[in-house]
Amino acid sequence: MSSVEELPLELPLPEGLTEERLREFSPLKGWYTTLKRSLELQHTNSTHPFHEDPYALRSIKVQSFDFFGHPPRQRLGFLKLTAKITNNAGEALPGSVFLRGPSVAMLVMLLPDDLPLGEEGDERYVVLTVQARIPAGSLEFVELPAGMVDEGTFSGTAAREIHEELGLEIAASELRNLSEMAAATVDTGSTGDKSKGEGLPAAMYPSAGGCDEYIPIFMHERRVPRETLKEWAGKLTGLRDHGEKITLKLVKMKDLWREGGRDAKCLAALALWEGLRRENKL
């Protein structure tokens, strides 16, 4: 594991951010460890495209940051920096980085409990959330539930809403990691996939050109009484009560590509689920 003590930081840091707090920021640690491993591969792998004139990290300039929470329990949430990465010829790689760390996405599917296995047809439903996403300029963004797997359960705002509306608490033991299952099918010898050597996690990167965030996609399937599912489908339409910040929407699996077409998590989950089904992995 690389130590962030090695970071070639340009000082001074922005006002209000200490070097100690910066070096404890988990997304920075993860990003630097992965980047350093990737840079080292230029030297150890003679077939690497940059082997003849490898790039190196010269400096890091922290431009801005955001704290989450309120004093005295504030924590560093977002970090914007530029990394100067050049080779001996003076050529540079783009190094504008927004650090926020990973999250998880959850493909929650509900089926009537009286359906025989393998005969779900059009009766498979998916849980979506509808909430404000200000970075997208939206007050009613439709997306796959996102959050974290914490202390054995799926947690976060979406998880709380699922629990409150449906009474479902999803244990980690009831999850299947679609991202890891898909990664396990990759033949690195035939595809030339170098991600394992670089140590990239088995996850979806929604904006790799500017952000470190990666999202492993999990699946949870639950069978519920037919009448209960019918009631939920009629009630969970995505319409919010006055002042409600987040709500749920239940859609048929066959319509997921359309209903969640603006959400990268949703489209990635659908692609993984369909691909794994085609190869009889699910």
Side-chain angles (χ1 to χ4, degrees):
M1 180 72 70
S2 301
S3 170
V4 291
E5 300 302 322
E6 308 168 358
L7 281 172
L9 287 173
E10 288 188 21
L11 300 175
L13 297 175
E15 184 178 354
L17 179 63
T18 66
E19 191 170 339
E20 179 183 12
R21 178 165 262 177
L22 175 65
R23 293 184 187 277
E24 291 174 351
F25 187 44
S26 180
L28 178 62
K29 294 179 182 179
W31 169 77
Y32 178 61
T33 297
T34 302
L35 176 62
K36 185 176 181 183
R37 184 186 298 117
S38 297
L39 292 172
E40 287 172 348
L41 286 176
Q42 302 172 108
H43 302 274
T44 59
N45 181 359
S46 61
T47 64
H48 195 287
F50 300 149
H51 180 70
E52 294 299 323
D53 190 4
Y55 289 85
L57 175 62
R58 313 294 181 179
S59 64
I60 293 174
K61 175 69 174 179
V62 177
Q63 298 173 311
S64 61
F65 64 95
D66 284 309
F67 283 134
F68 291 173
H70 303 282
R73 296 188 176 182
Q74 280 186 323
R75 64 181 179 86
L76 188 56
F78 293 156
L79 191 70
K80 173 65 174 61
L81 60 83
T82 54
K84 184 178 180 181
I85 300 177
T86 62
N87 60 11
N88 289 333
E91 299 169 325
L93 297 178
S96 184
V97 183
F98 172 52
L99 293 178
R100 58 163 297 165
S103 61
V104 303
M106 192 69 60
L107 179 64
V108 180
M109 295 181 288
L110 304 174
L111 301 89
D113 61 1
D114 57 1
L115 277 179
L117 289 174
E119 297 183 16
E120 296 87 358
D122 289 344
E123 297 194 79
R124 183 186 296 273
Y125 286 81
V126 177
V127 178
L128 300 177
T129 61
V130 182
Q131 60 186 313
R133 289 301 196 191
I134 299 305
S138 173
L139 299 182
E140 46 184 4
F141 197 80
V142 179
E143 62 184 303
L144 215 61
M148 62 201 80
V149 176
D150 184 36
E151 295 183 356
T153 59
F154 174 52
S155 62
T157 303
R160 286 193 296 273
E161 184 69 11
I162 290 172
H163 185 257
E164 290 171 7
E165 291 281 359
L166 307 181
L168 300 180
E169 187 170 66
I170 303 172
S173 60
E174 298 174 331
L175 300 176
R176 303 188 74 178
N177 190 327
L178 298 182
S179 297
E180 286 189 352
M181 293 172 69
T185 69
V186 176
D187 180 357
T188 57
S190 63
T191 64
D193 182 8
K194 301 296 191 299
S195 60
K196 288 188 176 180
E198 290 187 332
L200 296 181
M204 183 269 291
Y205 283 76
S207 188
C211 182
D212 72 313
E213 182 184 23
Y214 60 87
I215 306 174
I217 296 175
F218 291 84
M219 181 194 90
H220 174 74
E221 187 172 281
R222 182 77 60 97
R223 287 178 173 261
V224 299
R226 180 176 291 275
E227 287 305 311
T228 300
L229 185 55
K230 183 178 179 181
E231 176 190 344
W232 288 347
K235 181 178 72 170
L236 303 177
T237 61
L239 297 177
R240 286 176 289 177
D241 293 332
H242 180 71
E244 193 174 22
K245 292 183 179 179
I246 180 172
T247 191
L248 302 181
K249 185 175 185 178
L250 210 57
V251 303
K252 288 190 174 183
M253 187 67 174
K254 68 182 182 68
D255 296 325
L256 184 60
W257 66 275
R258 180 186 296 112
E259 295 281 354
R262 290 184 176 87
D263 179 36
K265 303 184 301 298
C266 193
L267 296 178
L270 182 59
L272 290 172
W273 183 79
E274 289 184 341
L276 289 166
R277 296 250 300 183
R278 276 197 306 271
E279 298 201 0
N280 297 316
K281 303 295 183 181
L282 287 174

